[in-house]
Structures are given as structure tokens and as C-alpha cells.
Amino acid sequence: MIANPASAYVHIPFCRRRCFYCDFPISVLGNHQRGETSGTVEGYVALLCDEIAVTPKLNEPPLQTVFFGGGTPSLLSIPQLAQILTQLDQHFGIDPAAEISMEMDPGTFDLEHLQGYLAAGITRISLGVQALDDTTLESCGRYHRVVDVYRAVDWLHQVAMPNWSLDLISGLPHQTLTDWETSLSKAVALYPHHLSIYDLTVEPQTVFAKRYQPGDGPLPTDEQTAAMYRLAQAFLTAQGYEHYEVSNYAQPGHQCQHNLTYWRNQPYYGFGLGATSYTQLQRVSRPRTLATYSEWVNEFQAAEGTHREPPTPPMEQLLDRLMLGLRLKAGIGGDEVRSLCDSATWDTLIAALHPHIAQGWVILEGDAWDTLQRLRLSDPDGFLFSNVVLSDCFRAIEDLQEI
């Protein structure tokens, strides 16, 4: 039985500038424009609403989560945000108790904007801090500075924001273990309900890729970034945060419900430039530039909201589930494993996992096909070496398909 989507991701691609590590699909507005003054943003919001309006409604009951990501959604005007939420509500319905998240960057909004976003329906904020010293922020090409962070957090406390998260990046140029420990201490002192801790990945075609080679100075070594990961895990869990996903920590009751949709490989709508949707076992990616996205929406309207992509093949579904589900502390339940593969495929997987079980990276609760209760990774080392574990699983399944 194919599940119905209960979540929607909305991509807002506009930024003040492109950060030096960023390869996301964005459009740069400059330091002075925002939704209130930009015809480009206004036109994009209209196009986005056109896509939403023609998308077939597959969900019942209404949406349980909505996530505005980017880019920098906090560059939207309050009426623009309200316009998108109204379109979603009219077409799909939004549950009154839905988690409605919005990524916001310090220095791109004020108290009035924050209050307006909450009045429009936002219930959760993800604050893109990334670093808590000005030298590091400048070296990353970030628009904001530390003073903007503290001002933004003060506003979040003023409005008694019931659920907000803070993002940090480890493994940045010139960053030491001591620097990282200081950043974590400063972050926790701001009392966020949730923290997302990302290790820097040097993506092709970014400014960082032109300047640095992974593992070479001034980037920390692999051993140093592993130490940073272990430090974050030990420090944040000691402060009462649950390490519920590879890169995410939450106080009780504050896990990001929208992102859990992805990690559980559940269906969701995706809207906007560069966004991906996953409905009826189809993954559909939108173009990554404004011009090509506009053409795509026009073609989508002409096709009356139909996609031509084939369903995800069963083995690919299994690989997706492993890649996403093993990011979670809870891992994957035995019943779900059995629904995705037969006992012969499981035997192949077990053979690939045995070395990692012996190392303590992989934990099985019941190891036989018919008694498996849960498959998960250990914390922190299983999470830290998850790419190694997954690579071996993928290779084993690919070899099985070639037999």
C-alpha cells in the first residue's frame, strides 16, 4: 500500500550572497533587496503558487508539517509568506496543530517580521548561525555577524518562540578543537530547543572547492573533524539534548517532525526551484535556475499536474531506506526491513554488515530474518562511519542484482 504524503517542502531560493561552501540552488539578491522590494521575489511567489495549485491532492488528512527552506526564506515579506501558506491550505489543507518551520538567517529580519511570520502560521524557526565568531563568519562568506545572532535570539526569546533550532558547521577553515568547544558552549548558552551540527563538505564548483582540498590545511584533518563530532556528541548529550539523528540534537519533544518524514522515507510534496518531491514512489526534481523552473511549471500546468517519471524500483527503495533510516538513532524496524527485501537479500546484507557489527558500528536487535526487531548504528562511531557501512551495503546489493 502506497502511503499518502502528509508533509510539504517549499524552497525559497533567494539569498543576500552565496556563502563560500554553498552549492544549493539559489538566486542572489544583494545586501539591500528583500521580498518587499524585489519584483523577482514577487514573481517567484506567484509561480510557486501556480505549481501548488496544479499539483494533484494525494493527502488525507491535511498536511501535518510544512518546511520553508532555502536559500533564505526570511527574505520573504509577511504577505508573501501568508500567500504561500494560504495556497497550501486551500489546496491541501493544513492541520491546525501542524509543525510549520521556517529557515531564517540572522541579519535578514527584525522583530516586526518575526511577529508577522508567527501570525501567518510559523510554529518553528531554524536559525542559520553556522559560526559564533566574526572571523569565521567572514571567512565563510556569511552576510551576518555575531551581533546579529544575539539580536535575533533575543527576539526569539521576546516572542517566547516555542520551538526553535540553531545551526552550526564544524570542520571550517582554521577551526580548532578548542574553537569548536567554545562555539558549542556559546550555542547552548542561547537555550535553543534543537541544534543541527553539520560537518563541512567541500562541494565542487564552490568558492571553498577552488581554495581548498579536503583534508589539507587550513581545513582540519579527518582525525580532527572526527574529534569535533565526538566532542559535540558528548557535550550536547551531557547538556540534555538527545542525539536523535546523525547531525541533529533535540530537547525532549523538540525533534523536527518534518525532517523525520525524510529520514523515515515517507512521501512528501516538494515545491519550488530545485526542490524534490516523493509521492506515489516517484522522486521528481525541479530545475535549479529561475528560467528553467518557470518553463517546468508552465509544462506542468499544460500536463495538468502529471509526472512521467517511473516509480522507484524495489531495490532502490531498499537502498533509500537504508541510507535515510540509518541516519536515525532509532534505525529501521524489522517489519519494515522484511517489507522491503526477502530473506536471500537480507543474508547478503548481513554478510556485508558482519565486519561493522564486530567493530561495534552496527547494532542488530535479533539477527535472523524472522526475528529481527531493529537495525541501527551506534553513537557516535557508527554514525561517524555511516558512509563506510552504507557503501558496503550498496555494493553488496548491486553485486546481487548483477548475478
Side-chain angles (χ1 to χ4, degrees), residues 14 67 75-76 137 204 288 304 331 367:
F14 304 105
F67 195 103
L75 290 175
L76 289 175
L137 289 169
R288 292 171 59 92
E304 298 181 341
D367 59 355

Side-chain angles (χ1 to χ4, degrees), residues 282-353:
Q282 293 178 316
R283 294 193 188 275
V284 179
S285 298
R286 283 107 184 109
R288 292 171 59 92
T289 69
L290 288 174
T292 52
Y293 171 63
S294 178
E295 294 173 1
W296 186 91
V297 172
N298 291 334
E299 293 171 0
F300 190 49
Q301 288 177 306
E304 298 181 341
T306 59
H307 294 299
R308 297 183 177 87
E309 285 76 2
T312 305
M315 280 300 177
E316 191 172 327
Q317 291 179 44
L318 172 61
L319 293 176
D320 284 348
R321 190 66 190 98
L322 289 169
M323 180 178 66
L324 296 167
L326 289 180
R327 294 184 63 91
L328 288 169
K329 178 181 179 180
I332 308 171
D335 287 343
E336 188 169 6
V337 172
R338 283 184 285 271
S339 74
L340 291 169
C341 69
D342 56 24
S343 58
T345 304
W346 173 247
D347 289 343
T348 300
L349 273 176
I350 279 289
L353 289 172

Side-chain angles (χ1 to χ4, degrees), residues 33-282:
Q33 291 228 43
R34 52 175 297 118
E36 289 89 339
T37 58
S38 171
T40 301
V41 177
E42 192 68 28
Y44 178 79
V45 169
L47 193 63
L48 190 60
C49 288
D50 287 343
E51 183 191 354
I52 293 169
V54 76
T55 298
K57 179 181 178 180
L58 304 171
N59 62 297
E60 192 67 45
L63 296 174
Q64 303 301 304
T65 74
V66 178
F67 195 103
F68 288 87
T72 311
S74 48
L75 290 175
L76 289 175
S77 69
I78 296 165
Q80 287 165 346
L81 175 70
Q83 180 182 350
I84 299 168
L85 281 171
T86 297
Q87 184 66 63
L88 286 169
D89 192 27
Q90 289 178 348
H91 193 63
F92 300 107
I94 299 177
D95 192 290
E99 175 195 89
I100 305 179
S101 300
M102 184 178 189
E103 291 182 346
M104 301 177 70
D105 279 4
T108 63
F109 66 96
D110 55 25
L111 180 58
E112 182 180 355
H113 278 99
L114 177 59
Q115 291 169 328
Y117 297 147
L118 300 188
I122 296 299
T123 66
R124 182 180 181 276
I125 298 296
S126 179
L127 194 66
V129 172
Q130 317 311 355
L132 281 162
D133 71 88
D134 285 343
T135 300
T136 304
L137 289 169
E138 185 174 358
S139 72
C140 292
R142 294 292 291 177
Y143 170 78
H144 73 271
R145 294 295 179 261
V146 173
V147 65
D148 299 312
V149 173
Y150 284 100
R151 185 183 299 119
V153 171
D154 181 57
W155 289 332
L156 289 172
H157 290 311
Q158 282 188 47
V159 300
M161 192 69 212
N163 193 0
W164 70 277
S165 179
L166 184 151
D167 293 357
L168 289 177
I169 299 178
S170 64
L172 291 169
H174 303 287
Q175 193 174 50
T176 67
L177 196 60
T178 300
D179 295 335
W180 181 234
E181 186 172 18
T182 300
S183 292
L184 292 170
S185 297
K186 289 179 178 179
V188 168
L190 297 175
Y191 303 108
H193 304 104
H194 184 285
L195 290 108
S196 294
I197 308 293
Y198 301 110
D199 183 43
L200 175 69
T201 300
V202 180
E203 300 288 357
Q205 309 306 317
T206 62
V207 172
F208 274 180
K210 297 172 184 177
R211 293 181 178 176
Y212 311 127
Q213 292 297 314
D216 293 342
L219 296 179
T221 65
D222 290 344
E223 291 76 16
Q224 289 170 323
T225 57
M228 289 179 186
Y229 188 88
R230 292 189 176 99
L231 175 62
Q233 188 270 352
F235 180 81
L236 294 176
T237 54
Q239 296 294 319
Y241 290 89
E242 179 193 6
H243 191 194
Y244 73 100
E245 191 270 346
V246 169
S247 302
N248 286 274
Y249 298 79
Q251 292 178 350
H254 290 280
Q255 294 182 353
C256 181
Q257 297 304 306
H258 181 86
N259 286 342
L260 285 170
T261 297
Y262 302 146
W263 299 321
R264 291 168 177 163
N265 205 33
Q266 295 169 338
Y268 56 90
Y269 300 107
F271 301 109
L273 183 150
T276 297
S277 59
Y278 179 48
T279 60
Q280 297 186 308
L281 300 181
Q282 293 178 316

